[in-house]
Amino acid sequence: MTSTAPQPSPAESTAGAPSDRRRWFALAIVMTAAFMDLVDVTIVNIAIPSIERDTGASFSSIQWIVAGYALAFAAGLITGGRLGDIYGRKRLFLIGIGGFTLASALCGFAANPEMLVASRFLQGATAALMVPQVLSIVHATFPAHERGKVFGLFGAIVGLGAVSGPLLGALLTEWNIAGLEWRPIFLINLPVGILGLVLGRKFITESKSPKALRLDLVGVVLVTLGMLMLIYPLTRGRELGWPLWGHLSMAGSVLVFLVLVLFERGKAGRDGSPLVELSLFRVRSFAAGIAVQLTFGIGLGIFFLVWTLYMQMGLGWSALRAGTTGIPFSVSVSVAAGLSVQKLVPRFGRKVLQTGALLMAAGLLLYIWESHHYGMDITSWQMALPLVVMGVGMGLIVAPLADAVLSEVPREHSGSASGLFNTVQQMGNALGLGLVSVVFYGAIGDRLTPQQVGPAFADAFEQSLWWVAGVLALIFVVMFALPARPKQHVEGAGADEPATVEPAEEPVLTH
C-alpha cells in the first residue's frame, strides 16, 4: 500500500511524529494483533469435540474453556485502555502481546482441562491489555484525514477474523499436525506473537495522554464486578437451569454500574483521572455509536452461535465444511468494509451504515426462506447468496462505525474510548449469547429422537434469524442519532456545515 505522507502540524513535528513508513509498519503490526485476537475468540468452538476427546474434559470445563476468555477479556478492557493512556500505549501493547503469546503457549501445552481453563483466563486478561491499544495507537498516530482509510482496513480485518477463526480451527484440527490434534489452534499464535513483539518494539511510536492521569483502582473494581455480575450468569445460566441468583446478579449489575457512574463523576471533579471518562458521552457521535455497537453486538452474538449449531448439529456437517461455507461471507465483509470508508461514507455519510443494516436484514430474510424451502437438503452453494448479502451489509457497518465512535474523541482520551468501544462490543456479544438460550434452545424440545434433531435445529435456526432481523431493524432506527456525515469527511463546509475540528491537544509522542 502506498500513501502520501501528510504535512505534520507544528505540534506533531515537535512531538516527533513517526515517518510515513514507520506509521504503516506500525499499522500492520497492530492490525495483525487485532486479527489474532479476533480469531482466538472463535477458533476454540470448532475444536471442542477434539479437546473433549483428548483431555477428557467435562461439559462444565468445556464451558469455562470457551467462557473464561470472554469473561477476563470483557472485564479488563476499559482498564487496559486507561493503562495505555497513563503508561504509554506502545508499552501496554507490547506487554499485552507478550503475555498473550505466553498464554497461548500454556494453552497449547496444557496437561489437563484445569490448566487449559486457567490459561484461557490469562489469554483473555492479556488480550484486554493488547486490544484497546490497537485503535488508540491508530487514533494517536494517524491524522484525521487518513483515519478513514485506516478504519477501512480495520473493518476488513474484523470481517476476515469473524469467519477465519472457525475455518482455521477446522483445518488445524483435521490436519492433526504432528499428532497434536487441537493444540495447534493455540500454538499458531507463537510465531505471530513473537514477530509482533520484535517488530512492535522497532516500529510503533510511543504515545500517552498529555495529562498526568492516575489509575482509578475503585473504578477498576466496580467495572470488573459489574461485568462479572452480568456476564457470568449469562455464560452459566442455561447449564445451571437459570437459577434465581443469576437473575439477581444481572439485576444487581445495573446498580453496580449506577454506583460506578456516580463515583466516576465525583472522581473527575476531584483529580481529573476517572477510569471511565463520562464526558465522552457528551460527544454525540460517540454516544450514538456506542448504542449502535451494543445492539449490533447482540445481533452478531446470536447469529454466529446459532449458525454454527445449525450447520454442525442440525445438518450434520463436518467442521471443515461448516468453516468453508462461511468464506463468501468473510470475503464480502472485507471488500465492503474497505469500500464503505474510502469511497461511500465520504459521499453518502450515515446512509451507508443504514443501508448496511437493511442489507443484513434482507440477507437474513433470504436465509430464512432458503432454510425453509430446501430443508435438510440445503447445500453450501445455496447459502452463498444470503451470506454475501449479509456480508456486504456487515462490511458497510463495521468500519464506518469505528470511525463514527472515535473520530471526534479528544486524543488524550483515545485509550479510554477504545476500551469502552471494545467492552461494549463484548457486552453485546455476551448478551446475544445469553439470548441464544431463549431464542434458539427455547424452540427445541427436550426429548428428541435422532430423526427429530435436524428438523428441530433448522426450525430453531429460522426463528433465531427473525430475532436478529428485528435487532437490525432497531439498529437502523438508532443510527438516525449518528451524525449525518463524520466531520473529517465534510468538504467545503459552508456557514451551515460543520468544518473539520482537530483536537486541541496532540498526544505525547516519543520514539
Side-chain angles (χ1 to χ4, degrees):
M1 179 182 297
T2 58
S3 174
T4 302
Q7 294 298 317
S9 67
E12 286 176 327
S13 298
T14 57
S19 68
D20 188 68
R21 186 174 66 89
R22 286 176 59 89
R23 285 187 298 118
W24 292 105
F25 271 122
L27 178 65
I29 294 162
V30 297
M31 289 298 183
T32 300
F35 178 79
M36 188 166 60
D37 161 68
L38 287 164
V39 167
D40 229 73
V41 172
T42 57
I43 198 171
V44 175
N45 294 342
I46 211 82
I48 283 176
S50 179
I51 295 174
E52 194 171 15
R53 287 193 306 268
D54 186 48
T55 66
S58 65
F59 179 74
S60 178
S61 295
I62 292 295
Q63 286 283 98
W64 278 112
I65 290 167
V66 176
Y69 184 97
L71 280 170
F73 188 37
L77 275 169
I78 297 178
T79 304
R82 178 53 81 196
L83 286 171
D85 287 339
I86 297 172
Y87 298 109
R89 290 138 192 165
K90 174 182 176 179
R91 179 183 297 178
L92 265 292
F93 176 81
L94 294 177
I95 292 172
I97 196 171
F100 188 87
T101 304
L102 174 61
S104 297
L106 293 174
C107 287
F109 294 115
N112 51 55
E114 292 75 23
M115 181 178 175
L116 183 53
V117 169
S119 300
R120 285 287 284 172
F121 268 97
L122 179 61
Q123 229 186 359
T126 52
L129 297 178
M130 175 179 70
V131 172
Q133 316 315 324
V134 172
L135 289 181
S136 57
I137 287 171
V138 169
H139 190 65
T141 303
F142 286 83
H145 70 274
E146 284 191 334
R147 276 185 229 135
K149 182 190 300 183
V150 172
F151 281 124
L153 292 172
F154 177 75
I157 291 293
V158 169
L160 192 60
V163 177
S164 295
L167 176 58
L168 187 59
L171 291 172
L172 292 174
T173 302
E174 294 210 3
W175 287 341
N176 192 20
I177 301 170
L180 293 174
E181 298 198 16
W182 54 273
R183 298 178 188 274
I185 69 173
F186 298 111
L187 298 178
I188 195 175
N189 290 334
L190 271 60
V192 179
I194 292 171
L195 190 62
L197 191 61
V198 172
L199 296 179
R201 286 175 59 88
K202 180 177 181 180
F203 290 107
I204 297 176
T205 301
E206 184 63 281
S207 68
K208 61 176 71 173
S209 172
K211 296 182 179 179
L213 299 173
R214 289 179 292 178
L215 184 61
D216 176 10
L217 292 177
V218 175
V220 170
V221 171
L222 289 173
V223 166
T224 304
L225 179 61
M227 294 296 296
L228 290 174
M229 289 176 65
L230 175 64
I231 296 178
Y232 181 82
L234 284 173
T235 303
R236 297 290 310 280
R238 179 177 174 272
E239 179 189 359
L240 300 176
W242 298 106
L244 176 61
W245 65 261
H247 296 285
L248 294 176
S249 177
M250 287 186 284
S253 70
V254 177
L255 297 178
V256 172
F257 287 128
L258 288 175
V259 172
L260 173 68
V261 170
L262 295 175
F263 178 81
E264 295 299 285
R265 185 177 296 169
K267 176 77 169 171
R270 288 191 299 274
D271 60 19
S273 295
L275 177 66
V276 180
E277 189 62 51
L278 297 178
S279 63
L280 290 172
F281 290 93
R282 290 198 286 269
V283 179
R284 181 183 175 187
S285 60
F286 180 82
I290 285 292
V292 172
Q293 174 80 329
L294 177 65
T295 316
F296 193 49
I298 292 173
L300 295 183
I302 294 174
F303 174 75
F304 282 117
L305 181 56
V306 300
W307 184 35
T308 301
L309 293 172
Y310 164 63
M311 288 189 292
Q312 294 194 58
M313 300 183 69
L315 300 177
W317 291 1
S318 68
L320 186 59
R321 182 176 179 183
T324 54
T325 298
I327 291 176
F329 179 87
S330 180
V331 172
S332 57
V333 171
S334 300
V335 172
L339 290 174
S340 64
V341 173
Q342 296 181 44
K343 302 293 184 182
L344 300 178
V345 170
R347 183 174 182 182
F348 301 107
R350 180 182 64 204
K351 295 176 182 178
V352 175
L353 285 86
Q354 292 181 302
T355 301
L358 293 178
L359 279 174
M360 283 195 74
L364 286 166
L365 295 178
L366 181 58
Y367 212 152
I368 291 170
W369 179 84
E370 287 198 352
S371 175
H372 184 76
H373 180 74
Y374 295 109
M376 301 302 294
D377 296 323
I378 193 170
T379 62
S380 296
W381 71 266
Q382 288 166 336
M383 294 183 182
L385 178 58
L387 288 174
V388 167
V389 175
M390 286 182 61
V392 171
M394 182 174 170
L396 295 180
I397 295 173
V398 287
L401 184 56
D403 199 2
V405 172
L406 298 177
S407 62
E408 299 175 5
V409 170
R411 290 190 182 187
E412 66 268 22
H413 297 312
S414 60
S416 180
S418 177
L420 279 169
F421 178 83
N422 287 285
T423 296
V424 165
Q425 180 184 31
Q426 294 301 315
M427 287 180 64
N429 285 334
L431 290 168
L433 291 170
L435 287 171
V436 168
S437 297
V438 178
V439 303
F440 185 78
Y441 285 108
I444 298 175
D446 293 330
R447 294 186 175 89
L448 298 176
T449 65
Q451 293 76 18
Q452 293 174 321
V453 170
F457 271 69
D459 289 341
F461 174 68
E462 293 172 22
Q463 292 188 38
S464 299
L465 293 197
W466 281 109
W467 282 86
V468 180
V471 168
L472 286 164
L474 178 61
I475 288 173
F476 175 81
V477 174
V478 175
M479 281 177 177
F480 279 105
L482 293 174
R485 187 171 299 181
K487 287 186 178 180
Q488 67 267 35
H489 295 308
V490 176
E491 299 177 1
D496 299 325
E497 298 177 6
T500 299
V501 179
E502 291 291 341
E505 297 181 89
E506 296 294 330
V508 176
L509 296 170
T510 59
H511 287 296

